Amino acid sequence: MAKLVFGMNLSLDGYVDHEHQAFAPDAALFRHWIEQVRGLTGSVYGRGMYEVMRYWDEDHPDWTSDLREFAAAWRRQPKWVVSRSLKSVGPNATLVADDTAIRRLKDELTGEISVSGPDLARSLTHLGLIDEYRLYFHPVVLGGGKPFFAGPRPPLRLMASDRIGADVIRLTYVPA
């Protein structure tokens, strides 16, 4: 059985915003994300996060070797996109219409599957499918935006805390 993990960068006040410059990773955090993606069985995306991540589908001439390495790891892994509005998805991705397909993936696969997108995570949390939450806190306060927990906060138990890079603290929780 696979483990579903919802983990994202967020502000100290609990918001995610991948367009905000404050979430740009330093070298250590970016290296962490490369290794994280490299070790995944695959990733499940909501439509919005998948569209953000499609950036990695094509090489850009100004990329550094680390950016190319991340893109290669991201392209290699299978991706499942939960969306009713998308008609097609990119390479190595499968479009799924609902959350029941995610339950099947969890039952049939082994390893770690990343869940990306607060709205998708809310739905999977409601179904009891998220096994672990990883909150990567950056030293910024946004004051609004998309909250990490898009719905009711589940009861959680702290499992670990660690510093990654110069400014990020990762808190790891499991459902209580």
Side-chain angles (χ1 to χ4, degrees):
M1 179 178 279
K3 177 167 78 168
L4 292 181
V5 177
F6 174 46
M8 292 184 76
N9 295 310
L10 68 156
S11 64
L12 292 175
D13 54 347
Y15 296 102
V16 298
D17 180 352
H18 286 77
E19 302 299 318
H20 199 284
Q21 190 60 26
F23 291 117
D26 66 10
L29 180 59
F30 196 74
R31 192 83 230 149
H32 168 83
W33 285 118
I34 292 170
E35 297 306 320
Q36 176 73 24
V37 169
R38 187 178 282 145
L40 292 174
T41 296
S43 292
V44 177
Y45 291 96
R47 182 198 48 79
M49 276 307 302
Y50 178 68
E51 288 176 343
V52 168
M53 294 301 290
R54 291 289 312 266
Y55 170 80
W56 300 103
D57 274 342
E58 295 180 23
D59 285 335
H60 297 262
D62 59 335
W63 276 1
T64 64
S65 61
D66 281 348
L67 294 173
R68 290 182 194 289
E69 190 175 351
F70 180 86
W74 189 80
R75 290 173 191 159
R76 269 194 302 274
Q77 68 168 287
K79 293 166 271 302
W80 299 275
V81 183
V82 180
S83 175
R84 289 180 188 89
S85 61
L86 290 176
K87 301 299 180 216
S88 65
V89 290
N92 210 14
T94 303
L95 190 59
V96 294
D98 58 39
D99 305 332
T100 58
I102 308 308
R103 185 182 304 275
R104 219 172 28 259
L105 288 172
K106 183 174 177 168
D107 290 342
E108 294 172 1
L109 299 174
T110 60
E112 188 173 295
I113 298 173
S114 173
V115 174
S116 295
D119 293 327
L120 174 62
R122 176 191 61 220
S123 176
L124 298 179
T125 295
H126 179 72
L127 295 172
L129 294 177
I130 303 287
D131 298 297
E132 191 170 289
Y133 299 84
R134 295 184 189 149
L135 291 80
Y136 292 80
F137 284 100
H138 289 251
V140 62
V141 175
L142 295 178
K146 175 78 85 174
F148 180 88
F149 289 105
R153 280 108 180 118
L156 300 173
R157 186 177 73 231
L158 181 66
M159 297 303 290
S161 63
D162 52 320
R163 186 177 185 162
I164 301 174
D167 295 322
V168 173
I169 299 291
R170 176 179 61 183
L171 301 178
T172 303
Y173 291 92
V174 296

